[in-house]
Amino acid sequence: MASDPRIDAYIESRAAFARPILSWIRARFHAAVPEVEETIKWSHPFFTLGGKPFANMAAFKAHASFGFWNRQDNETGKEGEAMGQFGRIESLADLPEAAEVERLIREAAAAAMAEAKPARPRAAPKGEAEVPPELAEALARDEAAAAAFNAFPPSCRREYCEWIAEAKRAETKAKRAAEAVAWMREGKRRNWKYENC
């Protein structure tokens, strides 16, 4: 059981009637869904699945409560009496049997995992940029600029290459290549003007 010491502290700080209730609920979650994780959110114990809120529990002056996060299909008839689907819990007798609670937890976990959005695939890294002929010629004539260009990470080299290649006129490409070589000789990246903004 992956327990969070903050939950231990929370349970210990509650009223005597609430401690066995909270401990019992906690045990049901770990028995039903071993991969559940614990955390504190909004000052209450939460159980998470896949890093997302799954269920929570809390203790108040005269009652405790627990329920599933964003689940309306686990109706118990006690909704509205208190926070969560199980109403005001004043003793363990107010809760269903352990097997029933664990079944509800498993069902809610299965539904939550089915609803979880798949992780977005990471974009494939862009390959090395094609060096425009104007830049290749200018770098061939300037060793210092060529060394700086080769030392830049691929993204920086790509910025220079794309900037020069996107020019429409040959004169503009030549002018940009000359400007790029002058900046590279000083070790400057393409957008060096904005690095300290």
Side-chain angles (χ1 to χ4, degrees):
M1 175 170 102
S3 62
D4 186 325
R6 295 173 301 168
I7 307 288
D8 296 323
Y10 180 91
I11 292 171
E12 286 303 312
S13 70
R14 300 301 112 169
F17 83 91
R19 289 193 289 262
I21 297 169
L22 298 174
S23 296
W24 186 88
I25 292 168
R26 183 187 202 188
R28 300 292 66 77
F29 274 93
H30 288 287
V33 186
E35 64 271 21
V36 76
E37 296 176 347
E38 298 180 346
T39 190
I40 295 283
K41 290 182 181 289
W42 300 289
S43 303
H44 297 294
F46 263 76
F47 300 97
T48 62
L49 278 176
K52 296 190 176 174
F54 169 54
N56 64 305
M57 63 182 184
F60 304 97
K61 250 188 229 182
H63 74 280
S65 66
F66 92 94
F68 301 104
W69 190 252
N70 291 334
R71 305 283 325 148
Q72 283 78 40
D73 55 350
N74 286 343
E75 293 185 14
T76 62
K78 295 184 178 185
E79 294 82 7
E81 290 179 22
M83 181 173 79
Q85 285 92 0
F86 294 86
R88 296 173 62 86
I89 305 166
E90 296 173 358
S91 73
L92 287 171
D94 295 333
L95 289 164
E97 295 293 319
E100 175 65 10
V101 172
E102 289 175 19
R103 181 188 65 77
L104 292 171
I105 292 169
R106 280 191 295 276
E107 287 176 4
M113 295 308 277
E115 291 171 3
K117 294 179 183 175
R120 274 193 326 193
R122 292 183 68 167
K126 293 182 180 180
E128 191 66 43
E130 185 178 332
V131 179
E134 297 82 5
L135 181 58
E137 290 171 18
L139 289 173
R141 294 188 302 267
D142 193 315
E143 287 183 29
F149 180 77
N150 291 328
F152 285 147
S155 61
C156 293
R157 292 192 297 266
R158 189 177 316 105
E159 286 175 350
Y160 270 120
C161 292
E162 289 173 354
W163 178 57
I164 294 166
E166 72 188 11
K168 305 272 187 268
R169 298 180 9 204
E171 299 85 23
T172 307
K173 288 183 182 191
K175 180 181 173 194
R176 287 183 179 181
E179 194 171 12
V181 166
W183 288 342
M184 285 183 232
R185 198 177 306 118
E186 296 175 26
K188 295 178 178 176
R189 297 174 182 220
R190 160 77 181 95
N191 294 304
W192 62 271
K193 294 176 187 176
Y194 307 107
E195 288 179 355
N196 294 322
C197 290

